[in-house]
Amino acid sequence: MNPTTQTDLGTPASPLDETVKVEIDGLPVTVKAGTTVMRAARESGVDVPKLCASDNMKPFGSCRLCVVEIEGMNGYPASCTTVVEEGMKISTQTDELARLRRNVMELYISDHPLDCLTCSANGDCELQDMAGAVGLREVRYGYDGANHLDAALDTSNPYFTFDPSKCIVCSRCVRACDEVQGTFALTIEGRGFESKVSASINESFLDSECVSCGACVQACPTATLIENTIVDHGQPDHSVKTTCAYCGVGCSFRADMKGAQVVRMTPDKDGGANHGHSCVKGRFAWGYATHKERVLSPLIRENINDPWRMATWDEAINYTANRFKEIQKEHGVKSIGGITSARCTNEETFIVMKLVRAGFGNNNVDTCARVCHSPTGYGLKQTLGTSAGTQLFDSVMDADVIMVIGANPTEGHPVFASQMKRRLREGAKLIVLDPRKIDLVRSPHIKADYHLPLLPGTNVPMINALAHVIIKEGLLAEDYIKERCDLESFEAWKKQILKPENSPEMVSEISGVPADDIRNAAILYGSAERSAIYYGLGVSEHSQGSTMVMGMANLAMATGNIGKTGVGVNPLRGQNNVQGSCDMGSFPHELPGYRPVQDDEVRGSFEKKWGVTIDPEPGFRIPNMFDAAIAGQFKGMYIQGEDFAQSDPNTQHVEEALSSMDCVVVQDLFLTETTKFAHVFLPGTSFLEKDGTFTNAERRINRVRPVMKPKQGKAEWQITQDLAKAMGYPMNYKNEAEIMDEIAEMTPTFTGVSFKKLDEVGSVQWPCNEKAPMGTPIMHIGGFVRGKGLFKETDYVPTKERTSRKFPLLLTTGRILTQYNVGTQTRRTANMTWYPEDLLEIHPYDAEMRGIKDGELVALASRKGETALKARITERVQPGVVYTTFHDPATGANVVTTEYSDWATNCPEYKVTAVQVAPAVHRSKWQHKFEKRAKEQGKILETS
Ligand code: SF4
Ligand code: SF4
Ligand code: SF4
Ligand code: FES
């Protein structure tokens, strides 16, 4: 067995609590009732042979290799489908069993190429292991009969190969796709000898419904489905446990290594967020970490129009520090600031935050959560008392009703989506609030009970209408409210919600959703035992993002859906460590743990620890920094791993701000759109080089462990520490663990966190402190963190962005599974195979009215700007609404988005822009842009 192979107990754990006593091969064994004989044996250290069973899917009972003898039972039952009973006496090894198992193996091997020594799976093949385990020495049937040895390879998927000549038709791949991933892309076609695995209806893997999650590859016990990296580099010899660097699900992985080289990323079965599953990004799209376009030397230039020149670390750090000091001397202490990165570790983020507050002497620190989930932080803090989601992901398995609002989990949070779909297949009801028909609305074995396709910008009236129905229908959790909530605020909220303008009929007119659907969805949510809300940027990125977050919290409190399993208000956070970057005090008004910088006691504790005076006034938010830069008051910025020039709205404004500054310093892996405006480039590290922690959307603090030394010679925290020293504020951390120790010392929700504990227990969810030494999977049990739950009134204030005759359509934006954020990482991987450019989704009616054909280049214009991209005509969007992603710098979708933002947090209103779409008649105008992109893509694919 390969040393990186994870334990497989054959069948899933029993959910029951009672135990039974059995005897296995003469030894007494106690296991949970409901456990299979196979699992009972394996738990007690007896490895019954198996081929078709695996502990992440239901028993199947097809290979008959796992037969056992049971006293008093006729025949030879399959241990994977037989459940233990009190007093059962089981034999796993007898001469007859050995004979039967050898017969089974003989049949498999007689139709299998005997190329073990040259096979890529040699040393990590269950068929090979089982042949050894059953003592197969000869095959009587010969290899000259009918066989499948000439079956053609399918190499269409860029990451794995399908070699049907090696298939034993065990169905593990099919069941992994169905049960683990929930895509149902595979079937077994034909019968008997003709049976074969087929992707969709006899298509190649690439052309099929397959989303390349790799679950089937992981499940395959032979080399039939195998990672191309294993074919190319050979089997791993050891693993390092770490965490995915893409989305906020925070999947745990084992980096399977051959010497110093990563040859495979395998999701870790012990991972608290993913339980051994992954998506295409985490499992396969890690090649960017060693991509040849990575810049490994510091770069400097006096002027953004000059060419870059390479510099030593000392030179670049001293240059930056001197420039920042000069700027502060000339323009004041507040004329510079820093941005922490949601892709960096908690430790790296904390130290940038400390550099700004202690080294720069101001609070001009912010993070990319400003442009995504800052309303979540604000809204949940106001109502519940904590700026984070309420549940652990596993809680969804107890939900009776799941309401998904402004999120597209199958694209944005795929591993959690697979878990959610599992619960939906078990019978939970589904309500989707989204302008588009996202996959969850209808996909194999899933159908939303209600899809409310509301117009962009009408979330708040919709949540008010849902609450209106719940009150009118008598579905309030009166006792819960009385016991746990602030009654004065409840009464005020109730009065507001009962206003006629919040009735389903009135809201139907604004939102375009039939009143009956609103009413029925509200009744479904309000009458279930356990209803859970999951939401995304379709909630927060609005001018009333914070209002909507509070509206959802109100609804959950009013129905008693907070403080137990299966319920809650749960943000699906975008970037891997966006929760952590917020937790670490990256907002200008808050120190770590969301404590106000104005609070003398809190500030005083940091002043004492850090030996400095901290400005009691909150600093600039990102948009304030940009405005101040244009006004000539803000002159220098240290940007850790963000690409504002592509990711932030109203690109023209961002570019003007960046080019108004005297010293822009970018710390990143690659040259980006933002580095076009930078004076200093400090090379950063990929997740494979980092040591530290990421915190996922369920507040889970996971370890990130390095598998290689920093390729550019310095850990990112060391870069920041060196810069602090050069600025005149020495920090003296010796390693990342020491930074976490300081975070724990200074942050009440982290006092129980240390690398040592995480290495021992795997992960913990904050708060993790004296009261909860092993963390807090579910918040607000028995009472809200703020004391009484506070209802906030949520009057609807329409956005200032309006459609007009010139701009009659509403543009909304979102994500696609294979790309990530601004594409810096995924564009440097073979993920480009699936979605190489942004597309504009437009309804057939709107397309026809404009003479637009599918695949044609169209111009997309708003009051702010104009770009061009190809049209995709689809009924996923409703008439009057168009949709695109923002992964491609060539499209630069944010050229058209506006400056409007959330009233409380300045989170930009990405989700509502009035636009016009027309065939791009002046094609030449866009031609240079697309030619450049084609060239860049050619380069990227060639080098990935
Ligand atoms: S491809 Fe692999 S997992 Fe699927 S049926 Fe064949 S051997 Fe089993
Ligand atoms: S890679 Fe995932 S989606 Fe594709 S066939 Fe395999 S399990 Fe199904
Ligand atoms: S779901 Fe998110 S965290 Fe998990 S593997 Fe995919 S990108 Fe990584
Ligand atoms: S492992 Fe039990 S029948 Fe295949």
Side-chain angles (χ1 to χ4, degrees):
M1 188 187 283
N2 188 279
T4 63
T5 304
Q6 302 183 61
T7 307
D8 186 345
L9 296 173
T11 60
S14 164
L16 305 177
D17 290 330
E18 315 88 78
T19 56
V20 294
K21 289 193 171 63
V22 297
E23 207 179 279
I24 299 178
D25 295 336
L27 294 173
V29 172
T30 303
V31 290
K32 281 187 176 181
T35 303
T36 61
V37 170
M38 171 177 281
R39 189 171 175 114
R42 288 187 165 234
E43 280 180 3
S44 65
V46 178
D47 276 356
V48 180
K50 68 174 188 65
L51 275 174
C52 70
S54 185
D55 59 13
N56 62 345
M57 49 187 100
K58 289 181 212 139
F60 193 56
S62 73
C63 75
R64 300 285 304 157
L65 199 65
C66 67
V67 285
V68 290
E69 289 178 18
I70 299 175
E71 202 174 282
M73 208 179 265
N74 286 336
Y76 302 94
S79 62
C80 65
T81 51
T82 307
V83 173
V84 289
E85 282 172 23
E86 184 67 37
M88 224 179 212
K89 291 194 168 134
I90 302 150
S91 298
T92 69
Q93 306 293 342
T94 66
D95 289 348
E96 186 55 14
L97 289 174
R99 191 186 64 80
L100 289 170
R101 289 174 187 157
R102 271 199 297 274
N103 284 351
V104 170
M105 281 308 296
E106 226 178 330
L107 286 170
Y108 280 127
I109 298 297
S110 66
D111 186 12
H112 196 83
L114 290 187
D115 59 354
C116 285
L117 286 183
T118 52
C119 176
S120 304
N122 188 17
D124 187 19
C125 171
E126 290 182 45
L127 190 70
Q128 191 182 44
D129 292 345
M130 290 305 112
V134 304
L136 187 70
R137 298 288 174 262
E138 58 167 344
V139 176
R140 287 166 293 169
Y141 307 115
Y143 304 103
D144 43 1
N147 58 47
H148 298 87
L149 302 185
D150 293 332
L153 283 183
D154 177 350
T155 55
S156 60
N157 187 292
Y159 293 122
F160 60 83
T161 298
F162 176 54
D163 178 357
S165 74
K166 297 189 167 168
C167 181
I168 57 171
V169 202
C170 65
S171 290
R172 271 166 72 166
C173 53
V174 179
R175 290 179 290 135
C177 192
D178 296 356
E179 296 174 30
V180 180
Q181 164 58 21
T183 294
F184 296 83
L186 302 178
T187 47
I188 300 285
E189 261 196 5
R191 284 167 175 266
F193 180 78
E194 301 300 327
S195 322
K196 61 170 189 169
V197 172
S198 166
S200 293
I201 306 166
N202 253 328
E203 287 175 290
S204 71
F205 270 80
L206 189 64
D207 293 334
S208 73
E209 299 296 312
C210 168
V211 293
S212 204
C213 71
C216 56
V217 181
Q218 190 173 341
C220 183
T222 66
T224 313
L225 283 161
I226 191 162
E227 297 89 350
N228 292 344
T229 47
I230 295 291
V231 176
D232 292 344
H233 304 297
Q235 290 292 332
D237 50 41
H238 69 284
S239 295
V240 178
K241 285 195 182 192
T242 189
T243 303
C244 178
Y246 282 112
C247 85
V249 177
C251 294
S252 299
F253 275 88
R254 288 159 174 251
D256 290 339
M257 311 286 299
K258 184 174 184 180
Q261 187 181 20
V262 184
V263 292
R264 175 171 67 196
M265 293 296 284
T266 308
D268 186 6
K269 288 169 92 168
D270 296 333
N274 59 320
H275 307 297
H277 189 37
S278 74
C279 80
V280 58
K281 294 191 286 287
R283 192 192 291 265
F284 294 123
W286 39 273
Y288 71 88
T290 49
H291 194 279
K292 69 181 185 190
E293 283 174 11
R294 258 188 78 176
V295 180
L296 299 175
S297 163
L299 305 172
I300 297 178
R301 60 184 173 186
E302 300 292 325
N303 188 297
I304 59 170
N305 297 315
D306 293 342
W308 287 109
R309 69 179 170 82
M310 294 219 278
T312 62
W313 275 110
D314 282 350
E315 196 184 357
I317 299 271
N318 288 330
Y319 179 88
T320 303
N322 289 337
R323 288 298 289 124
F324 280 171
K325 282 193 279 191
E326 282 163 18
I327 290 171
Q328 284 192 305
K329 202 163 165 202
E330 194 180 337
H331 300 278
V333 169
K334 298 189 181 183
S335 58
I336 64 171
I339 305 299
T340 71
S341 172
R343 288 181 221 166
C344 287
T345 62
N346 287 319
E347 295 70 18
E348 290 164 339
T349 306
F350 179 86
I351 197 170
V352 170
M353 180 277 305
K354 181 172 173 180
L355 166 72
V356 173
R357 299 193 200 269
F360 293 179
N362 62 47
N363 291 313
N364 292 337
V365 61
D366 209 349
T367 186
C368 80
R370 173 70 50 217
V371 300
C372 65
H373 267 292
S374 49
T376 289
Y378 179 85
L380 296 184
K381 179 99 189 247
Q382 292 287 311
T383 46
L384 314 179
T386 310
S387 298
T390 59
Q391 312 296 117
L392 76 167
F393 288 139
D394 287 354
S395 153
V396 78
M397 297 311 286
D398 295 317
D400 300 312
V401 171
I402 297 169
M403 182 143 78
V404 177
I405 309 180
N408 190 358
T410 50
E411 305 281 347
H413 302 85
V415 166
F416 176 62
S418 291
Q419 189 176 28
M420 182 187 275
K421 289 203 285 187
R422 219 156 31 243
R423 179 63 192 144
L424 292 168
R425 291 197 302 276
E426 286 175 1
K429 303 286 181 199
L430 174 66
I431 303 166
V432 174
L433 272 71
D434 201 290
R436 281 171 84 228
K437 246 183 239 149
I438 58 170
D439 279 348
L440 276 180
V441 172
R442 183 131 219 187
S443 59
H445 302 275
I446 305 284
K447 184 173 180 306
D449 295 270
Y450 295 101
H451 172 215
L452 311 185
L454 70 182
L455 280 172
T458 60
N459 284 337
V460 170
M462 181 58 69
I463 204 80
N464 288 346
L466 294 173
H468 185 96
V469 175
I470 279 166
I471 298 173
K472 283 270 170 101
E473 295 286 332
L475 295 172
L476 288 173
E478 305 277 2
D479 293 345
Y480 180 96
I481 296 165
K482 259 186 223 133
E483 191 192 321
R484 298 191 41 164
C485 301
D486 178 277
L487 293 181
E488 199 180 317
S489 69
F490 168 70
E491 291 302 335
W493 171 77
K494 190 170 159 190
K495 195 165 158 215
Q496 177 241 326
I497 290 295
L498 284 175
K499 286 180 189 166
E501 68 251 35
N502 292 322
S503 69
E505 285 68 25
M506 297 289 276
V507 171
S508 173
E509 282 176 26
I510 310 168
S511 65
V513 178
D516 280 350
D517 285 357
I518 301 175
R519 184 169 283 109
N520 292 337
I523 292 170
L524 183 61
Y525 175 88
S527 30
E529 176 72 23
R530 292 167 196 270
S531 292
I533 295 175
Y534 292 90
Y535 71 95
L537 303 181
V539 159
S540 52
E541 290 177 344
H542 286 272
S543 60
Q544 279 202 288
S546 291
T547 316
M548 179 61 183
V549 173
M550 295 189 292
M552 294 183 305
N554 291 338
L555 192 69
M557 286 190 288
T559 50
N561 277 312
I562 294 186
K564 58 187 178 185
T565 183
V567 300
V569 181
N570 301 288
L572 295 175
R573 309 206 64 154
Q575 304 219 50
N576 52 333
N577 199 36
V578 69
Q579 179 69 54
S581 71
C582 299
D583 301 343
M584 293 300 104
S586 295
F587 288 136
H589 65 294
E590 282 171 343
L591 285 156
Y594 304 96
R595 289 164 307 147
V597 72
Q598 293 108 317
D599 185 315
D600 292 343
E601 201 181 316
V602 173
R603 199 177 62 256
S605 67
F606 281 90
E607 289 178 332
K608 192 164 162 224
K609 176 75 185 168
W610 294 347
V612 292
T613 303
I614 298 174
D615 187 349
E617 287 307 311
F620 285 146
R621 296 169 173 182
I622 293 168
N624 307 135
M625 293 184 202
F626 290 156
D627 290 346
I630 291 169
Q633 294 150 4
F634 188 79
K635 291 286 181 183
M637 208 175 198
Y638 173 43
I639 305 168
Q640 182 190 35
E642 289 301 328
D643 190 5
F644 293 131
Q646 194 186 339
S647 65
D648 281 33
N650 195 353
T651 310
Q652 301 83 332
H653 181 74
V654 175
E655 290 184 353
E656 188 187 348
L658 289 170
S659 46
S660 304
M661 291 185 225
D662 293 342
C663 185
V664 173
V665 180
V666 175
Q667 191 165 308
D668 213 321
L669 298 179
F670 302 97
L671 293 178
T672 64
E673 293 301 295
T674 303
T675 57
K676 289 178 183 161
F677 304 90
H679 304 85
V680 180
F681 179 83
L682 302 174
T685 55
S686 75
F687 78 114
L688 294 175
E689 296 142 76
K690 291 184 192 297
D691 196 349
T693 55
F694 290 152
T695 307
N696 77 352
E698 42 164 17
R699 296 170 278 103
R700 186 182 299 279
I701 306 161
N702 273 315
R703 283 283 275 123
V704 184
R705 295 186 181 87
V707 302
M708 57 178 85
K709 292 212 163 68
K711 288 178 81 63
Q712 26 62 302
K714 242 181 221 297
E716 291 208 39
W717 66 269
Q718 284 171 323
I719 303 170
T720 312
Q721 176 160 292
D722 289 351
L723 181 56
K725 190 173 170 199
M727 292 285 296
Y729 180 75
M731 301 183 200
N732 294 303
Y733 302 105
K734 288 196 247 0
N735 52 44
E736 297 82 352
E738 283 190 0
I739 305 177
M740 177 48 86
D741 290 345
E742 182 169 319
I743 295 167
E745 182 189 337
M746 302 304 294
T747 315
T749 43
F750 273 67
T751 51
V753 182
S754 66
F755 280 19
K756 186 166 173 284
K757 176 179 274 178
L758 294 172
D759 291 342
E760 278 164 17
V761 304
S763 64
V764 290
Q765 288 169 267
W766 66 257
C768 174
N769 47 28
E770 314 73 48
K771 279 196 210 147
M774 298 313 288
T776 311
I778 296 177
M779 302 283 292
H780 315 294
I781 293 177
F784 290 98
V785 168
R786 73 174 298 285
K788 295 283 183 189
L790 189 69
F791 284 82
K792 298 290 282 187
E793 290 176 51
T794 51
D795 283 317
Y796 173 45
V797 181
T799 171
K800 291 191 191 118
E801 179 72 353
R802 302 288 166 89
T803 52
S804 63
R805 223 157 37 128
K806 198 166 169 206
F807 301 107
L809 302 170
L810 283 176
L811 169 74
T812 188
T813 59
R815 292 162 187 244
I816 195 85
L817 169 70
T818 48
Q819 293 288 355
Y820 176 72
N821 204 274
V822 292
T824 314
Q825 293 145 286
T826 44
R827 278 188 295 111
R828 291 181 169 89
T829 69
N831 276 24
M832 291 294 280
T833 312
W834 287 278
Y835 200 83
E837 60 190 304
D838 292 329
L839 299 172
L840 185 82
E841 289 188 4
I842 183 165
H843 189 272
Y845 172 81
D846 290 323
E848 196 182 331
M849 293 286 289
R850 290 164 175 77
I852 291 168
K853 297 202 176 49
D854 195 51
E856 192 176 64
L857 194 65
V858 293
L860 171 72
S862 74
R863 295 181 181 95
K864 287 292 157 191
E866 193 181 12
T867 185
L869 66 174
K870 286 187 188 142
R872 174 182 279 172
I873 299 177
T874 169
E875 290 187 6
R876 278 169 76 98
V877 285
Q878 52 187 297
V881 175
V882 290
Y883 166 89
T884 189
T885 50
F886 49 85
H887 304 303
D888 185 358
T891 313
N894 282 321
V895 167
V896 299
T897 50
T898 71
E899 74 280 19
Y900 297 128
S901 65
D902 176 45
W903 60 272
T905 65
N906 279 137
C907 180
E909 188 165 54
Y910 289 108
K911 301 298 180 189
V912 192
T913 308
V915 294
Q916 180 58 294
V917 180
V921 277
H922 304 298
R923 295 183 78 88
S924 57
K925 182 174 160 190
W926 302 104
Q927 211 56 43
H928 70 281
K929 209 168 174 178
F930 285 87
E931 272 168 13
K932 186 167 162 252
R933 176 170 66 191
K935 226 187 263 167
E936 272 177 13
Q937 279 171 10
K939 194 168 67 183
I940 287 164
L941 283 176
E942 174 199 310
T943 53
S944 59

